[in-house]
Amino acid sequence: MQASRIAAAAAVAGSTVLLLSSPAFAHVSVQPDGTAAKGGYALVNFRVPNERDDASTTKLEVSFPTDHPLASVMPEKIAGWKATVTKTKLAKPLEVHGRKIDEAVSKVTWTADGKGIEPGYIQRFPVSMGALPEDTDELVFKAIQTYSGGEVVRWIEVQEDGAEEPENPAPVLALSAATADHHGGAATAEDTSDESSDSADDAKAASASTEAAADSSGGSDTTARVLGVVGIVVGAAGVAYGVLAGRRRTTSDA
C-alpha cells in the first residue's frame, strides 16, 4: 500500500513538470532562416502551434512594427492558405537602394481555405522581409490567432526587462550585427521575386506544409523535457524502493 502511494506521488510530480513546461514551446514565435542581420534582408518563419484539442487554427494576423517600418515584405505561397498584405502610408518616407519609399507593410493576414492547422499540428508561415533596421536589436511582431470555434488568442504582450514571461508573449525577432553585403545570409526581396519558377514554388509549398508538433525545430526541446520528466519519475521510484527495502530489513532484524 505504501509503495503504491509513493509511486502515485512520483507520477503526479512528473506530470506537473511536463504540464508546466509545455507552454514554453506552445507560443506563436518567429525565427530567421539563417540570420537576420541589421540593414539586410532575411527569410523568417512565423511558427504557429495549435493549442486546442477540439478546434483548428483558421486565421493568423501578424502586425509589423510601425516604429521600424519594413518597405519590402513578401509572404511565400502556402498550400491551403491565402495571404493578404496590408500597407500603410509613412509619415516620413524611407530610402531603400536609392529609392524613396512612402509606404510600408503594416500587417500580413493568412486565412485558411482548407482545414487550417488541425489539433496536434503546427504551421510555418515564411516571409521575406527587409531592409531590416540598423538602430535596434529586435523587432516585435504582435500576432492574433483565430480558431474555427471563434476563439481568438492575442499574442501581443511585450516582454519587460527583468519580468517574468507574459502569458501571451508577442513574437520577437532578434537582429544580428550588420554584414558587409547587408544581405544577412538570406535572399533579398528582389532575389525572391526573380526566383518564382515552378520548382521554387514546389519547394516553398513542401517546406510550408503542415507539420507534426514534434517537428525538427521543437523536437530537441520536447525530447529534453520528456527525458527530464522520465528522470524525475525514475528517481522518485528509486527513492520509494529504497524506503521500502529499508523498512523490510528493519522488520526482519526485529
Side-chain angles (χ1 to χ4, degrees):
M1 180 66 71
Q2 187 71 14
S4 299
R5 291 177 179 175
I6 295 176
V12 170
S15 299
T16 302
V17 172
L18 182 60
L19 290 173
L20 291 176
S21 63
S22 294
F25 53 90
H27 299 158
V28 172
S29 60
V30 59
Q31 291 292 333
D33 187 356
T35 59
K38 298 177 181 179
Y41 290 79
L43 178 64
V44 305
N45 293 288
F46 291 95
R47 184 175 178 274
V48 183
N50 190 329
E51 297 184 297
R52 302 295 178 262
D53 297 327
D54 56 354
S56 296
T57 294
T58 56
K59 187 177 181 180
L60 174 69
E61 299 172 73
V62 177
S63 294
F64 283 68
T66 56
D67 54 343
H68 295 97
L70 300 174
S72 176
V73 175
M74 301 177 65
E76 289 191 358
K77 184 177 181 180
I78 304 175
W81 293 84
K82 177 184 178 182
T84 302
V85 178
T86 302
K87 295 184 177 182
T88 301
K89 288 287 185 179
L90 297 176
K92 182 180 180 180
L94 299 174
E95 184 172 338
V96 181
H97 299 303
R99 295 182 300 169
K100 291 288 185 179
I101 306 297
D102 61 357
E103 63 179 10
V105 172
S106 57
K107 183 168 65 174
V108 177
T109 303
W110 288 270
T111 305
D113 53 19
K115 295 182 179 180
I117 310 173
E118 298 180 85
Y121 288 83
I122 68 167
Q123 176 77 48
R124 286 194 183 97
F125 296 87
V127 177
S128 174
M129 62 176 65
L132 299 175
E134 300 185 57
D135 57 350
T136 184
D137 294 326
E138 63 183 26
L139 292 176
V140 178
F141 299 88
K142 296 184 178 182
I144 299 178
Q145 182 179 12
T146 302
Y147 286 91
S148 55
E151 179 186 5
V152 175
V153 181
R154 301 179 183 276
W155 303 96
I156 61 174
E157 298 178 69
V158 179
Q159 175 72 53
E160 299 292 342
D161 293 338
E164 295 184 359
E165 183 182 44
E167 183 177 355
N168 294 313
V172 177
L173 176 67
L175 303 181
S176 60
T179 59
D181 59 3
H182 273 195
H183 285 183
T188 64
E190 289 83 353
D191 294 334
T192 303
S193 62
D194 291 338
E195 296 172 355
S196 57
S197 62
D198 291 340
S199 59
D201 285 341
D202 291 342
K204 293 173 184 177
S207 65
S209 60
T210 303
E211 302 171 43
D215 72 323
S216 58
S217 64
S220 58
D221 291 343
T222 303
T223 301
R225 291 186 176 91
V226 172
L227 289 177
V229 173
V230 171
I232 292 174
V233 174
V234 172
V239 172
Y241 178 80
V243 172
L244 290 176
R247 290 184 177 179
R248 288 174 180 173
R249 286 197 297 270
T250 303
T251 303
S252 62
D253 292 343

